Amino acid sequence: MPFSCPRIGGNLPQVVLRQARCVEFTSDHVARFMSSFSQSRSPRVYSPKNRSHVLKIASPSNFSTSPSQPLMEDPEKLSLSSLDDEAGGKKYSGELDVAVRAVQIACWICQKVQDTLVFKTNDGDGSGSNDKQVHSKDDNSPVTIADWSVQATISWLLSESFGTSNVSIVAEEDVHALSKADGAGLLKAVVETVNEALSEAPRFGLTRPRESLGPKEVLEAIGRCNSAGRLNRKFWALDPVDGTLGFVRGDQYAVALSLIEDGKVVLGVLGCPNYPMKKEWLSYHHRYHRIIAKLTPPASESWDRGCILYARDGSGEAWMQPLLHKNKSLEWPNAAVPVRVSSIDNPALATFCEPVEKANSSHSFTAGLAHSVGLRKQPLRVYSMVKYAAIARGDAEIFMKFARAGYKEKIWDHAAGVVIVQEAGGVVTDARGRPLDFSKGIYLEGLDRGIIACSGARLHERIMKAVDASWNSSCL
């Protein structure tokens, strides 16, 4: 029988099987565990509904009857995922739980920063830029304090939950701009944003730092997300703000976090803070959303804008939950509902998405494809991986992207969206019908011409045939 402890708020198995060896919890084990738990400087409540800080049983070699030998590894930095696996539970459930909560906090950061960018710019309409918060990278793409703040926050939360040595992350941003002599003010703003976000962590069911992070700790958290060199066989891929141009303009953007193991995306979380709950609103100009938001602020119980989509590979399920309202605490599963792709397979009724930016995609080629396949609706041009969310939620049926010559797709721009669409019942491949390969580093190497995501196999097959028929005449 399992033992029950009100302090923990749940049950821990009395017997754990590992490699055909059986380890029993004795009264001495329990006493030493309770002693170490009660001495924690940052106690937390553990329960089956709150898996973000549940404990991971150490290997059998760590168990002994010696009082000097701790029963558990550091409870501050471990998850239930391995215990779940051994007990026949759902693999990666612990990682998914922490990832969803971390992305919830990331969306909270983005909303606060975007409000500053959009409503406090010099011209007041959101079309300008805020010199203190928006900067240009070497490729002239924009980056904001939200990008760095989200990356630092998620990096710290994952390391705190699973242990720094157990976490490998690749992400889009680096510390170059923040480390320069003239970047002191920018770094200060990022540090303040990160600490404000982490102070809210308990509200999301995660731990907060015992002390505020300093510039060194924030730079280390960002720097741990190293996109250079050979990747580990298991790593997290993060795009802290996908669609930064949309973010700066007050339009659509996403926070994308995925876990990749042996080249396969095993879980994905997609935060879409501006995604409207009504499909029709996706095609409205972003200024309309801001006007409506100011005229009719949502009640605390409403769910009019913003959501988190997530899925675990092989589960056959994808889920959506609302963003957490101010002053509310996240109680799992946070009103989550399943999402499923559309059943529409008639091209004349289908809606297709494509990127807003023309720099890395060909609108003319997709327009020709749409005509040849029989698509009649105007394309839905949306920033970021929100396009994948639209497919998974059934708001659109097709996403096509065919990059111009020389452009290479990065894994963090697709990983989370791909697994969510697939588990929601959709199909995602390159133009030859092959699965996207996430095993070759930070780029999707070997990608055949482009990416096609569809709600079903029938539409997907028709688009692939149209690509084959028209590709040689294209200029891509």
Side-chain angles (χ1 to χ4, degrees):
M1 295 292 291
F3 71 81
S4 179
C5 176
R7 172 75 181 206
I8 301 174
N11 295 330
L12 290 178
Q14 186 174 7
V15 177
V16 179
L17 298 177
R18 184 189 291 270
Q19 298 178 349
R21 295 177 63 185
C22 180
V23 180
E24 295 188 6
F25 287 94
T26 67
S27 58
D28 183 52
H29 288 146
V30 176
R32 282 188 281 117
F33 164 68
M34 293 308 300
S35 176
S36 64
F37 186 85
S38 63
Q39 292 172 8
S40 169
R41 293 173 58 188
S42 181
R44 280 167 269 153
V45 176
Y46 294 77
S47 75
K49 293 184 178 180
N50 179 6
R51 292 190 168 193
S52 59
H53 300 301
V54 288
L55 305 178
K56 179 180 181 181
I57 304 301
S59 64
S61 61
N62 287 339
F63 289 93
S64 83
T65 57
S66 169
S68 62
Q69 181 76 11
L71 171 67
M72 298 297 224
E73 294 184 57
D74 182 1
E76 296 295 321
K77 299 182 179 180
L78 297 170
S79 83
L80 187 61
S81 56
S82 63
L83 180 59
D84 267 347
D85 298 345
E86 294 172 60
K90 297 179 179 179
K91 195 173 184 181
Y92 306 114
S93 59
E95 287 94 335
L96 181 60
D97 181 274
V98 172
V100 171
R101 296 172 190 273
V103 171
Q104 281 274 7
I105 296 179
C107 291
W108 180 87
I109 292 173
C110 290
Q111 287 179 319
K112 289 181 67 67
V113 175
Q114 190 182 57
D115 285 346
T116 301
L117 288 173
V118 172
F119 295 115
K120 296 183 180 179
T121 48
N122 292 331
D123 57 10
D125 67 358
S127 60
S129 65
N130 188 318
D131 292 337
K132 295 181 179 180
Q133 299 194 59
V134 183
H135 298 260
S136 294
K137 295 191 281 190
D138 292 339
D139 61 358
N140 292 323
S141 61
V143 59
T144 73
I145 66 168
D147 294 80
W148 287 302
S149 300
V150 167
Q151 186 162 314
T153 300
I154 289 183
S155 173
W156 189 91
L157 290 169
L158 292 178
S159 297
E160 179 69 9
S161 297
F162 303 111
T164 303
S165 61
N166 300 321
V167 173
S168 176
I169 310 173
V170 294
E172 185 165 15
E173 309 307 336
D174 58 36
V175 298
H176 179 67
L178 297 177
S179 303
K180 294 193 295 187
D182 59 353
L186 179 62
L187 177 58
K188 180 182 179 183
V190 171
V191 171
E192 290 175 351
T193 304
V194 170
N195 281 315
E196 185 179 4
L198 290 177
S199 71
E200 295 283 328
R203 198 162 58 86
F204 296 86
L206 296 173
T207 189
R208 75 176 81 187
R210 295 185 177 97
E211 298 177 353
S212 295
L213 304 186
K216 180 181 178 181
E217 289 82 9
V218 170
L219 289 174
E220 287 176 350
I222 297 172
R224 279 198 294 269
C225 307
N226 188 2
S227 61
R230 186 173 178 273
L231 302 181
N232 294 342
R233 62 177 293 270
K234 181 178 179 180
F235 62 93
W236 297 87
L238 168 65
D239 194 339
V241 180
D242 182 45
T244 303
L245 189 57
F247 173 79
V248 170
R249 293 175 174 175
D251 209 323
Q252 297 298 324
Y253 65 98
V255 178
L257 180 63
S258 59
L259 182 61
I260 300 172
E261 185 168 12
D262 294 327
K264 187 174 185 178
V265 185
V266 296
L267 68 85
V269 183
L270 202 55
C272 308
N274 282 348
Y275 197 131
M277 292 300 103
K278 294 182 179 179
K279 170 185 174 180
E280 295 78 11
W281 284 25
L282 274 172
S283 58
Y284 290 176
H285 195 277
H286 57 87
R287 293 182 188 175
Y288 173 82
H289 295 293
R290 296 206 305 272
I291 293 172
I292 294 298
K294 280 197 167 293
L295 292 178
T296 58
S300 60
E301 295 80 16
S302 71
W303 184 6
D304 299 321
R305 184 189 71 163
C307 60
I308 306 280
L309 285 88
Y310 54 95
R312 187 170 44 83
D313 177 61
S315 67
E317 298 174 332
W319 295 85
M320 176 175 67
Q321 64 176 234
L323 297 185
L324 198 62
H325 282 290
K326 185 177 180 181
N327 299 325
K328 297 287 185 178
S329 294
L330 193 152
E331 296 184 9
W332 196 264
N334 190 33
V337 296
V339 294
R340 202 73 186 163
V341 296
S342 167
S343 60
I344 293 174
D345 59 6
N346 182 350
L349 302 177
T351 300
F352 81 96
C353 302
E354 64 180 354
V356 175
E357 304 92 332
K358 297 180 180 179
N360 58 13
S361 64
S362 173
H363 288 175
S364 59
F365 182 67
T366 54
L369 283 178
H371 179 75
S372 63
V373 171
L375 299 175
R376 297 292 176 256
K377 294 185 177 182
Q378 289 296 312
L380 185 62
R381 291 176 179 165
V382 183
Y383 290 102
S384 80
M385 270 189 274
V386 166
K387 295 179 283 291
Y388 282 111
I391 302 294
R393 219 179 69 167
D395 293 339
E397 286 71 41
I398 302 166
F399 163 41
M400 298 182 286
K401 184 178 182 183
F402 297 92
R404 299 184 183 279
Y407 182 82
K408 299 177 73 173
E409 300 286 351
K410 296 184 177 69
I411 58 175
W412 51 67
D413 287 327
H414 298 279
V418 167
V419 70
I420 291 170
V421 168
Q422 289 174 337
E423 296 306 313
V427 182
V428 186
T429 71
D430 67 10
R432 192 182 291 272
R434 301 179 305 187
L436 305 189
D437 187 355
F438 294 93
S439 67
K440 299 294 193 298
I442 67 171
Y443 296 105
L444 287 174
E445 302 288 358
L447 191 67
D448 191 316
R449 292 169 288 183
I451 295 173
I452 303 171
C454 290
S455 57
R458 185 174 177 182
L459 283 174
H460 187 266
E461 183 68 26
R462 294 186 67 162
I463 292 173
M464 285 199 301
K465 289 181 179 179
V467 172
D468 288 338
S470 57
W471 184 258
N472 290 336
S473 61
S474 74
C475 299
L476 295 175

